[in-house]
Amino acid sequence: FFFFFFTKIRSKIVINNLENQCNNLLTNICNRLSVDSKFVNTFSVHHSTLPTMYVLIKTHKLDPNIDISTVPLFNLKVRPIVSCIDSPTEKLAWLVTHILKPLLNHVPSHLNNIHTHLDILSRLPPHELKDLQFFSADISALYTNLSAEECIEALIEMAEEHWEDLNLLNIGFSIEDIRRMLKMVFTNSYFTYNMRLYYQTLGLFMGCCPSPLAAIVRVWQFEKNSVYTDVYYIKFYGRYVDDCGSLAPNKKLLSILPMGLLNRTDLED
């Protein structure tokens, strides 16, 4: 009981601090831009709760003939999700994601859904598909293998390049405003699990609104300087967040191509 009470006290302190930081940041930006008070009230945060971690069992990795209730817990593969619903940074996270979402239109490798690659492949002439093989690959633990700071810089770099395409809501946000909002969302990664308070020191929350966008843009920075963008070698390459697919002319190249990209992370020594 004492441990639970102590954790609750600490969590409340963290919540109050984060709420104050988020509201002060929003008020500072909006006052400078003379934004309507209704906007400020809409995105101000009160009575929030800390993000909570839960896990999803990767049922597709289990033998379909096995009763899942008989599988020992330590044999289950799970995906950790940090739910940021009603968290102190949720409203800022939604706002900055809305502003930056058009950047996805400038990531050539991005697949909007899992069917997009089938549409693209079906439009390729048969002679271009001759002697090619399809491969798929998965970027292991993408969110936790990316640096939050590098993801912020990747988003800022692309935002500056495509500034006119952003959803700036006719408010006049500056690039520095966007940077400050991203930093607030990505670097205050407190969460609770099993009545304990934690702080994630590496990577991005899987469950935070702008995390997929940041991951997609950051990985594109790796891709655009690789052989994947060379149509001489690659007739098709696409990626749905962390799942990649491509065509290659032979098995040797097929096995070599993914390694240069997929072995890279922001957290290498």
Side-chain angles (χ1 to χ4, degrees), residues 31 37-38 57 62 68 86 108 118 124 136 148-149 163 175 178 198-199 235 251 253 257:
N31 285 347
S37 60
K38 290 183 179 179
I57 298 174
L62 294 171
I68 190 173
D86 292 330
L118 297 177
L124 290 176
S136 63
E149 290 76 14
W163 186 254
I175 196 68
I178 294 174
Y198 294 90
Y199 179 79
K235 297 298 181 184
K251 290 184 177 180
L253 188 57
L257 280 176

Side-chain angles (χ1 to χ4, degrees), residues 106-126:
H106 300 284
V107 180
S109 62
H110 175 60
L111 300 175
N112 291 320
N113 56 65
I114 59 176
H115 303 292
T116 307
H117 71 290
L118 297 177
D119 295 333
I120 297 173
L121 291 173
S122 67
R123 293 195 297 268
L124 290 176

Side-chain angles (χ1 to χ4, degrees), residues 206-226:
M206 182 182 289
C208 180
C209 196
S211 289
L213 172 62
I216 290 167
V217 170
R218 180 58 179 145
V219 175
W220 166 240
Q221 288 192 323
F222 299 150
E223 294 169 336
K224 67 182 180 180
N225 297 318
S226 73

Side-chain angles (χ1 to χ4, degrees), residues 1 6 30 36 66 76 85 102 107 146 151 176 184 193 238 262:
F1 172 80
F6 179 69
C30 291
D36 189 284
I66 293 180
L76 292 174
I85 296 174
V107 180
L146 291 175
C151 285
E176 187 57 30
M184 179 66 68
Y193 178 69
L262 302 183

Side-chain angles (χ1 to χ4, degrees), residues 66-230:
I66 293 180
D67 181 355
I68 190 173
S69 64
T70 65
V71 180
L73 288 178
F74 53 81
N75 286 344
L76 292 174
K77 295 184 181 295
V78 299
R79 177 177 286 108
I81 308 290
V82 177
S83 173
C84 296
I85 296 174
D86 292 330
S87 70
T89 59
E90 182 192 20
K91 291 184 177 181
L92 276 182
W94 183 93
L95 178 60
V96 77
T97 302
H98 180 76
I99 293 171
L100 296 175
K101 194 170 183 180
L103 294 181
L104 291 177
N105 297 325
H106 300 284
V107 180
S109 62
H110 175 60
L111 300 175
N112 291 320
N113 56 65
I114 59 176
H115 303 292
T116 307
H117 71 290
L118 297 177
D119 295 333
I120 297 173
L121 291 173
S122 67
R123 293 195 297 268
L124 290 176
H127 69 273
E128 290 189 10
L129 295 173
K130 186 179 179 181
D131 299 325
L132 295 180
Q133 300 179 54
F134 184 83
F135 80 82
S136 63
D138 176 82
I139 304 177
S140 180
L142 173 61
Y143 287 86
T144 51
N145 277 324
L146 291 175
S147 159
E149 290 76 14
E150 293 297 334
C151 285
I152 292 173
E153 291 308 312
L155 288 169
I156 292 300
E157 179 182 323
M158 184 170 275
E160 289 178 321
E161 185 178 353
H162 304 286
W163 186 254
E164 294 183 356
D165 295 334
L166 303 185
N167 294 323
L168 296 174
L169 305 173
N170 296 317
I171 289 179
F173 290 117
S174 69
I175 196 68
E176 187 57 30
D177 294 334
I178 294 174
R179 185 194 300 274
R180 292 169 69 190
M181 286 189 280
L182 286 169
K183 186 174 181 180
M184 179 66 68
V185 171
F186 282 146
T187 61
N188 289 293
S189 47
Y190 294 93
F191 68 96
T192 60
Y193 178 69
N194 197 25
M195 297 190 299
R196 290 176 181 266
L197 177 64
Y198 294 90
Y199 179 79
Q200 181 172 319
T201 58
L202 300 175
L204 309 173
F205 277 167
M206 182 182 289
C208 180
C209 196
S211 289
L213 172 62
I216 290 167
V217 170
R218 180 58 179 145
V219 175
W220 166 240
Q221 288 192 323
F222 299 150
E223 294 169 336
K224 67 182 180 180
N225 297 318
S226 73
V227 72
Y228 288 102
T229 59
D230 191 335

